[in-house]
Amino acid sequence: MSNSADPFDESTCPWSLADDVRLVRRVTEEAGRIALSYFARDIHTWDKSPNNPVSEADMAVDEFLRTTLMQNRTGYGWLSEETEDHSDRLRCGRLWIVDPIDGTRAFLAGGDDWGISVALVQDQKPVIAAFYAPVKNAFYFAETGRGATKNGLTIKVSDQNNLDAARMMGDPSAFKAKKLWPTPWPDSMHTEQANSIALRICQIADGQFDCCVTLRPKNDWDVAAADLIIAEAGGTLTTGTGKGLVFNRKRPLHDHIVASCPALVPSIMERVEPALAEWRHVAA
């Protein structure tokens, strides 16, 4: 369901998208440096909810992004994993959607599969996106209509069309659990996990992997930047029912995520759609 946000009037905005591009690049790189200053150190951590960790690093990056972006762009809205949500964002034509550290568990464990996610959403669609994985030295960036890059070089999704030979980003045990899938996944399909959902999607955008399926709900901040990056790289990102994602709704949540190069979408949906139907039946 759409919200009541007014269409954005660029003619009355003092900042162009080109201005916002420069700002997003600068603050995302600086946010990465701040995160690295806490990385692999003994820092304060706690659980926001059971099995949902957060740390002083998350909060420091969030504070930097919020302060810098909002002070430089008065009138823009704000939505972040680590900031209390306010309904006034629903009236904003332009909105920052941020995950200060996507993949906190990996960050705390000293892994490399985490990063900073920053998106500018206009009229409920991302128009500028950055995802920076500092330990991997991978800076992904996209602007609507201008393609996607990694460290300044153009990226595109793979042309894989055979699910048997596909490289799937996701929990290997989930795809091997045949009782969960009325139509099973090929045993020969390679599966590999990464803590950050945004990183998983970006690694499909640059062709390292071919697809990603998660039937666990994801929030706007998890996928807003990745949505534009994979789209500009020629891929697709939808819900498990094949619908495109709409951002800045009252409930900023997406029930499931399917990301893929285009040629694999039919084979993936042949497995996802009956699984969702079965799970809905069991739940009922």
Side-chain angles (χ1 to χ4, degrees):
M1 181 181 294
S2 178
N3 63 40
S4 57
D6 295 326
F8 191 80
D9 185 357
E10 293 195 46
S11 66
T12 63
C13 181
W15 303 287
S16 68
L17 280 180
D19 295 328
D20 289 340
V21 162
R22 288 189 288 271
L23 178 62
V24 170
R25 286 186 184 276
R26 177 171 61 84
V27 301
T28 307
E29 288 175 352
E30 180 59 27
R33 286 190 284 271
I34 293 171
L36 281 175
S37 73
Y38 289 87
F39 184 63
R41 289 175 48 199
D42 184 15
I43 61 174
H44 180 48
T45 66
W46 62 97
D47 278 354
K48 293 185 291 185
S49 58
N51 199 32
N52 186 15
V54 67
S55 75
E56 59 180 304
D58 297 83
M59 306 311 293
V61 174
D62 185 73
E63 182 179 4
F64 165 75
L65 289 171
R66 184 178 70 255
T67 301
T68 307
L69 292 172
M70 296 300 282
Q71 285 183 349
N72 280 276
R73 294 295 184 267
T74 55
Y76 287 22
W78 177 261
L79 178 64
S80 165
E81 180 174 13
E82 308 305 346
T83 307
E84 183 181 355
D85 190 14
H86 293 284
S87 61
D88 57 0
R89 66 174 168 80
L90 299 174
R91 298 188 294 273
C92 297
R94 278 186 182 170
L95 172 82
W96 300 114
I97 299 184
V98 166
D99 194 341
I101 297 180
D102 184 38
T104 296
R105 286 188 186 86
F107 178 89
L108 296 175
D112 63 358
D113 52 332
W114 59 272
I116 294 93
S117 184
V118 178
L120 179 64
V121 167
Q122 178 174 308
D123 300 330
Q124 299 189 287
K125 288 292 183 183
V127 292
I128 299 171
F131 181 78
Y132 183 27
V135 182
K136 286 183 173 291
N137 188 31
F139 189 96
Y140 295 89
F141 194 84
E143 181 182 356
T144 185
R146 293 181 176 269
T149 60
K150 175 185 177 184
N151 297 341
L153 301 176
T154 300
I155 57 174
K156 64 178 183 177
V157 297
S158 76
D159 57 3
Q160 179 63 257
N161 59 11
N162 181 1
L163 195 60
D164 292 270
R167 298 157 297 175
M168 171 73 77
M169 285 297 286
D171 181 1
S173 63
F175 296 98
K176 289 179 169 59
K178 291 183 168 55
K179 65 179 182 179
L180 301 177
W181 305 97
T183 304
W185 298 90
D187 289 331
S188 58
M189 183 181 73
H190 173 77
T191 54
E192 190 173 319
Q193 179 67 296
N195 189 205
S196 163
I197 181 65
L199 178 61
R200 290 181 237 170
I201 297 167
C202 287
Q203 289 183 321
I204 298 165
D206 70 9
Q208 291 185 66
F209 290 83
D210 306 307
C211 47
C212 170
V213 173
T214 177
L215 301 186
R216 295 177 179 176
K218 297 297 177 184
N219 293 282
D220 274 10
W221 51 77
D222 295 312
V223 293
D227 179 75
L228 181 62
I229 291 167
I230 192 171
E232 289 294 322
T236 65
L237 180 63
T238 68
T239 67
T241 57
K243 296 180 180 178
L245 305 189
V246 178
F247 297 93
N248 196 23
R249 298 174 300 174
K250 184 175 181 180
R251 184 170 179 258
L253 193 70
H254 311 276
D255 291 335
H256 12 69
I257 294 295
V258 174
S260 181
C261 58
L264 286 178
V265 171
S267 298
I268 293 171
M269 288 306 193
E270 285 175 6
R271 289 154 175 84
V272 170
E273 289 173 350
L276 289 176
E278 176 67 18
W279 293 355
R280 282 192 293 265
H281 174 72
V282 170

